[in-house]
């Protein structure tokens, strides 16, 4: 990698001298660039701050402030100036004593005017080499210090105590924030060096330590703002996701001192264990976990002793719904299973094993109950490896749900009543709309008269009566579970005319809606 050109400031009160120095040698060839010029000592001090030159060619005799005064100011107030500066003094023969004094302030040498081209080039070449050598030495020292600190932090995180890595006099008031990266989720499993390169490229302008703690990669930010860390994390995750979704990184809070660093690491570890459940964001913070109801339940671990067989108790009921193509009820069971898994405080491997067993047992149960069926579905065993390969909960449950709904589809497609089952499912899902047999016949590609006949044969009641039964059942639920007005409930269940709703309700219950609600309320109070 080519080195960045060193900035050179030329300071002399004579313009002709300044222009001559700018052109007398090939600065670019020497690895330098002239960043500016100054005509007096005060101007030099201002441009030291604004331009941050590495080399200044400084005339001894200048107005406002002399070269010696400039050197003294910078020598006595080093904290006021941004970087180490290498001075090359320009002097006349009569200024020799001043030049000697300048050397005492750390100047790298002096050149007598008029300037000799070869002598100047030799001096600049020597200064450039010294700067680069010092930079490399500083970099090596800095790298060694960083590696030592990384070893100390890794030891502290590994053993869980500050005293195991740092001595008491090394305690710090700095603020630390720990980030744990998953090599596997980043697509860098077994490629820690590639991940380290990506980290160094992305976070090179932040103050941080980074190191591998197999099987994860750890970043420890020091005195970095939340905004800065989040901005760099966003770019980092976007680069590694490559247009995919899912969380790659777990983030602890920014906390003070070495104990704060350890606490932030422990927070990030807890978050890391939850990445499986987060698919909608690139990185997850401890605060995200605190604000997620399901995650809080998992982390409280109160249901660790739950009987895993509970997860399979729904299968007989699920088979019944598959047999009658009750998709809404099937989805209800699957939603309940999803919630159970999300809050059961099980490991990721345990969750995956339960899902594998669930689809195998469901398929085996329906085959045992209906051996005559030839179901055109994927074999459950073929999905086991696919489930195990999922990095996120949503993807895994998507496979389970698709498989179960596919079973229902396959089961009904091989029965004489497959069409009527699908019609019933559609009716139950859309009972509050204006459904007609003619519309359903067009939707399911069959004659409306034939459909009406088959509907009555299967359900035991005419289509319109079946519609009334479903609507009145839903109305009864709303009467007991809400404070809605009667006319509001009428519209919600599909009756635009409230009087007509009253008639239908009384026909099916022998009570008006008001009487029904009062009777049920009184019955509950007596209990």
């Amino acid at each position: 990698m080519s080195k960045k050109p060193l900035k050179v400031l030329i300071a002399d009160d004579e313009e002709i001298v300044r222009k001559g120095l700018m052109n007398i040698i090939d600065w670019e060839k020497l690895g330098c660039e002239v960043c500016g010029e100054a005509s007096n000592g005060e101007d030099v001090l201002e441009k030291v701050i604004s331009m941050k030159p590495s080399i200044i060619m400084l005339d001894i005799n200048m107005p406002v402030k002399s070269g010696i005064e400039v050197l003294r100011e910078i020598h006595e107030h080093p904290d006021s100036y941004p970087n180490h500066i290498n001075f090359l003094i320009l002097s006349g023969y009569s200024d020799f004593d001043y030049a000697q004094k300048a050397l005492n302030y750390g100047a790298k040498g002096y050149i007598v005017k008029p300037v000799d081209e070869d002598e100047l080039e030799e001096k600049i070449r020597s200064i450039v080499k010294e700067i680069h050598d010092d930079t490399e030495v500083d970099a090596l020292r800095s790298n060694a210090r960083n590696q030592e600190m990384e070893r100390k932090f890794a030891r502290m995180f590994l053993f869980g105590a500050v005293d195991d890595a740092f001595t008491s006099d090394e305690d710090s008031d700095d603020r630390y924030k720990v980030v744990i990266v998953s090599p596997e989720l980043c697509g860098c499993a077994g490629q820690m060096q590639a991940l380290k390169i990506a980290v160094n490229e992305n976070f090179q302008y932040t103050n941080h330590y980074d190191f591998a703690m197999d099987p994860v990669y750890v970043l420890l930010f020091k005195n970095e703002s939340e905004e800065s860390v989040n901005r760099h994390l966003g770019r980092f995750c976007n680069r590694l996701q490559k247009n995919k979704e899912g969380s790659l990184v777990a983030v602890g809070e920014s906390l003070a001192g070495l104990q704060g660093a350890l606490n932030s690491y422990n927070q990030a570890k807890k978050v890391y264990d939850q990445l499986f459940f987060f698919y909608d964001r690139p990185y997850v913070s401890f605060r995200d976990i605190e604000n997620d109801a399901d995650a809080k339940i998992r982390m409280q671990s109160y249901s660790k002793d739950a009987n895993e067989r509970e997860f399979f108790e729904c299968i007989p009921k699920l088979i019944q719904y598959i047999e009658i193509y009750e998709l809404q009820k099937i989805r209800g069971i699957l939603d309940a299973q999803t919630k159970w898994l999300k809050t059961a405080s099980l490991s990721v491997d345990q969750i995956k094993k339960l899902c594998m067993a669930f689809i195998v047992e469901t398929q085996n149960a329906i085959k045992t109950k209906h051996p005559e069926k030839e179901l055109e579905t994927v074999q459950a065993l073929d999905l086991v490896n696919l489930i195990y390969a999922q990095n996120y909960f949503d993807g895994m449950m998507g496979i389970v749900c698709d498989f179960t709904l596919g079973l229902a589809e396959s089961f009904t497609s091989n029965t004489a009543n497959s069409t009527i089952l699908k019609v019933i499912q559609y009716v139950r899902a859309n009972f509050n709309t204006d459904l007609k047999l003619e519309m359903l016949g067009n939707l399911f590609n069959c004659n409306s008269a034939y459909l009406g006949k088959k509907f009555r044969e299967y359900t035991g009641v005419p289509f319109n009566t079946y519609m009334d039964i479903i609507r009145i059942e839903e109305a009864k639920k709303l009467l007991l579970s809400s404070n809605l007005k009667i006319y509001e409930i009428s519209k919600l269940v599909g009756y635009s005319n409230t009087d007509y709703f009253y008639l239908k309700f009384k026909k099916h219950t022998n009570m008006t809606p008001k009487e029904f609600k009062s009777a049920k309320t009184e019955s509950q109070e007596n209990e």
Side-chain angles (χ1 to χ4, degrees), residues 462 464-465 468-469 472 495 499-513:
N464 288 333
T465 302
D468 287 333
I469 291 171
I472 297 305
Y495 294 108
D499 291 336
Y500 187 64
F501 169 62
Y502 267 94
L503 289 173
K504 290 293 182 180
F505 195 93
K506 188 158 187 179
K507 178 180 177 182
H508 286 274
T509 65
N510 292 319
M511 288 184 280
T512 66

Side-chain angles (χ1 to χ4, degrees), residues 57 156-157 250 488:
M57 296 192 65
M156 181 175 78
F157 295 159
E488 291 174 324

